[in-house]
Amino acid sequence: MKIEKINILNTTAVPLPMEDIDTDQIIPARFLKALTKEGFGDNLFRDWRYDRNDQTIENFVLNNSKYAGQILVAGKNFGCGSSREHAAWALNDYGFKAVISSFFADIFKGNALNNGLLPIQVNTDDLNFIFTKIEENNNTKLSINLEDQTLSIGEWQRSFDINPYKKMCLLNGYSDLDFLLSKREKIEEFETKQLIY
């Protein structure tokens, strides 16, 4: 799965105001057998989206046509539990480009950034404000400007932190390997100089 460039997102959001959502809830372990990143979105939040008979659970937010968008807004401590990278794959494959929460598990945050998914951490009051705005109007647009590191809804705006290297990778659509390949000429030039001396 190629990492897509992220700079500006202006989209509606899907609210999931639950705390302590772990990676096994994001993508259950029984779906981790695939060898590629594609198709994981089909089983995102599988046990919340479908019952044991594979029937849609209508009151789960991803099954509610009222909500859509490229941003997931989740409760505190999102991505806790195991270190499975597949959680980021599933969110990305489903179509999410960013996740907003008041706290992320460190390993999930790293996996998200490595796979082209932008985790934005806000304080609890700001998270509650975002949930309220979406609840008042499901067509509320959230705007993310990665270059400026801002999140906004209308006139309301907040700044967010991101590792500078990971920011550069997301802006350019680079994986770590892509970044190294982008420096190939400089690396080869350095190697040539070492051979000369």
Side-chain angles (χ1 to χ4, degrees):
M1 182 187 298
K2 180 167 173 42
I3 291 178
E4 294 182 21
K5 294 180 182 181
I6 295 178
N7 186 1
I8 294 174
L9 291 176
N10 186 35
T11 174
T12 52
V14 177
L16 188 56
M18 299 169 62
E19 295 188 355
D20 304 318
I21 297 175
D22 65 37
T23 53
D24 195 52
Q25 292 160 328
I26 297 170
I27 181 73
R30 64 187 183 278
F31 299 111
L32 306 186
K33 298 173 185 174
L35 300 177
T36 65
K37 297 180 181 181
E38 287 77 25
F40 280 93
D42 294 338
N43 294 306
L44 176 68
F45 299 119
R46 179 73 190 198
D47 295 335
W48 292 345
R49 287 168 66 192
Y50 301 96
D51 64 21
R52 293 183 182 202
N53 298 313
D54 285 333
Q55 298 300 307
T56 301
I57 298 173
E58 292 184 13
N59 64 354
F60 183 61
V61 68
L62 291 192
N63 297 328
N64 186 342
S65 59
K66 177 179 175 181
Y67 298 107
Q70 295 180 306
I71 300 172
L72 177 68
V73 183
K76 181 181 179 182
N77 198 24
F78 186 83
C80 57
S82 72
S83 61
R84 69 187 63 161
E85 192 172 19
H86 307 73
W89 298 357
L91 288 157
N92 201 310
D93 190 57
Y94 185 82
F96 289 118
K97 303 298 179 196
V99 181
I100 299 170
S101 177
S102 59
F103 183 80
F104 292 99
D106 286 341
I107 294 176
F108 172 81
K109 189 173 185 178
N111 285 337
L113 289 167
N114 288 338
N115 287 280
L117 181 68
L118 176 62
I120 296 179
Q121 189 165 323
V122 297
N123 65 44
T124 302
D125 289 341
D126 288 342
L127 183 64
N128 289 335
F129 173 82
I130 295 168
F131 278 132
T132 299
K133 285 295 184 183
I134 297 170
E135 185 179 335
E136 289 173 351
N137 180 0
N138 61 292
N139 291 315
T140 294
K141 291 281 186 77
L142 280 67
S143 295
I144 295 171
N145 186 316
L146 179 55
E147 182 68 53
D148 294 342
Q149 294 179 218
T150 58
L151 166 66
S152 57
I153 300 175
E155 298 299 313
W156 178 90
Q157 186 176 91
R158 294 292 184 270
S159 297
F160 61 87
D161 293 327
I162 184 171
N163 175 285
Y165 166 70
K166 289 302 180 185
K167 174 181 176 179
M168 180 275 300
C169 284
L170 289 174
L171 286 170
N172 290 283
Y174 286 164
S175 66
D176 290 334
L177 180 57
D178 292 328
F179 171 73
L180 288 174
L181 291 173
S182 77
K183 303 297 182 185
R184 174 180 275 170
E185 288 184 13
K186 291 184 178 180
I187 293 170
E188 290 175 348
E189 181 182 326
F190 175 80
E191 288 177 339
T192 301
K193 286 180 181 178
Q194 301 310 304
L195 292 173
I196 293 174
Y197 297 111

